[in-house]
Amino acid sequence: MGIITKTIGLTGWASLAAAGTFVAFTRKSRIENIPPTDYIFNSTLFRRYNPKNSPVTQDICIRRVPLASIKPELLEAEGKLAEAFCAGVWSGIGFRYQRRFLEKKWRGPKTADQLWDREVLAASSYDVGTKLVDHFEVVSKTPTSIIVRCGDSPTIMDVRESDGLFEMTAEIKEAEGVAEFGLKSVFYNGLKGFGGTDQPMPWHVQWLHQLYDKVLMESAVRTLKP
């Protein structure tokens, strides 16, 4: 114990405490690989924005929540839960730092038509064409799914070097008494492509992204509680 104490020091113990808090906060979320048969890989959106079929960095964060722990009004009308979950992702505390960072860099007259303020992000219905924080644009919406294009400014409409699809899903499973939420990420280099098995993200960046996904998930789920 003495060796460990001297090696880690005060900062290390603070980091361990923060890590412990993170684990407790995100313990109910899990990360999985997206199966190659998933519909997103056969979608028009994927083919349009990744025309060279470049390798992808992909994963999905999944969280199940008892229906009794969700605001009843979100379960009454079709599509309301998906909208509220999407709004929770972007207006929740998990996205706060990135939202402020992007706001300082890109908010201005040219992006005035986009969503920036937390209150507006919380109230939006996220219809197709909605743009937010100069980094995301809604490109698909169904009663259980909202997909945004990400990776660069939505003002760049052509195929992009930094590109991706980020899907937020909310499915009510009455028989099981739960709602299942998903954050599905598919990132790729649509402009230049990659050779061999090269991935658009190195493993450690993907690992950090997965941690961030868990924070976004828990932050969003908390906004759905009564």
Side-chain angles (χ1 to χ4, degrees), residues 3-61:
I3 296 176
I4 296 176
T5 303
K6 292 179 181 178
T7 302
I8 296 178
L10 183 60
T11 302
W13 286 120
S15 299
L16 285 176
T21 301
F22 173 83
V23 170
F25 181 65
T26 64
R27 69 188 186 282
K28 295 182 180 180
S29 296
R30 70 181 192 273
I31 300 291
E32 296 182 358
N33 288 324
I34 305 172
T37 55
D38 191 272
Y39 60 85
I40 201 165
F41 296 123
N42 296 307
S43 67
T44 300
L45 293 171
F46 184 75
R47 292 194 296 269
R48 178 187 303 160
Y49 298 129
N50 187 18
K52 296 184 179 181
N53 198 29
S54 301
V56 301
T57 294
Q58 54 83 6
D59 53 55
I60 181 170
C61 179

Side-chain angles (χ1 to χ4, degrees), residues 192-205:
K192 296 182 179 179
F194 284 81
T197 58
D198 290 344
Q199 301 297 312
M201 283 186 184
W203 71 267
H204 62 283
V205 176

Side-chain angles (χ1 to χ4, degrees), residues 81-218:
L81 186 59
E83 287 182 356
F85 176 56
C86 182
V89 170
W90 306 120
S91 66
I93 192 172
F95 187 64
R96 182 171 60 184
Y97 175 81
Q98 186 178 1
R99 179 178 63 83
R100 289 178 175 175
F101 174 79
L102 292 170
E103 182 177 23
K104 288 180 180 179
K105 289 195 67 175
W106 306 119
R107 189 171 189 176
K110 292 183 179 180
T111 59
D113 62 330
Q114 300 187 24
L115 309 187
W116 292 95
D117 298 315
R118 188 191 66 79
E119 295 78 8
V120 179
L121 290 164
S124 177
S125 57
Y126 294 93
D127 296 322
V128 172
T130 302
K131 301 178 180 67
L132 45 152
V133 299
D134 203 36
H135 200 69
F136 305 95
E137 179 180 3
V138 179
V139 292
S140 175
K141 181 180 180 182
T142 73
T144 59
S145 163
I146 296 176
I147 302 177
V148 298
R149 188 185 184 191
C150 58
D152 208 331
S153 171
T155 60
I156 304 173
M157 302 179 66
D158 295 331
V159 175
R160 305 188 300 224
E161 183 174 4
S162 176
D163 215 337
L165 297 172
F166 183 66
E167 182 179 24
M168 293 146 284
T169 60
E171 183 180 356
I172 298 173
K173 299 189 174 184
E174 295 276 6
E176 300 177 49
V178 301
E180 184 169 285
F181 300 96
L183 296 177
K184 185 185 299 178
S185 304
V186 180
F187 304 120
Y188 46 83
N189 182 330
L191 187 60
K192 296 182 179 179
F194 284 81
T197 58
D198 290 344
Q199 301 297 312
M201 283 186 184
W203 71 267
H204 62 283
V205 176
Q206 184 178 14
W207 178 72
L208 290 172
H209 163 73
Q210 291 173 350
L211 298 184
Y212 187 36
D213 261 357
K214 287 187 172 186
V215 172
L216 291 177
M217 175 64 79
E218 294 302 325

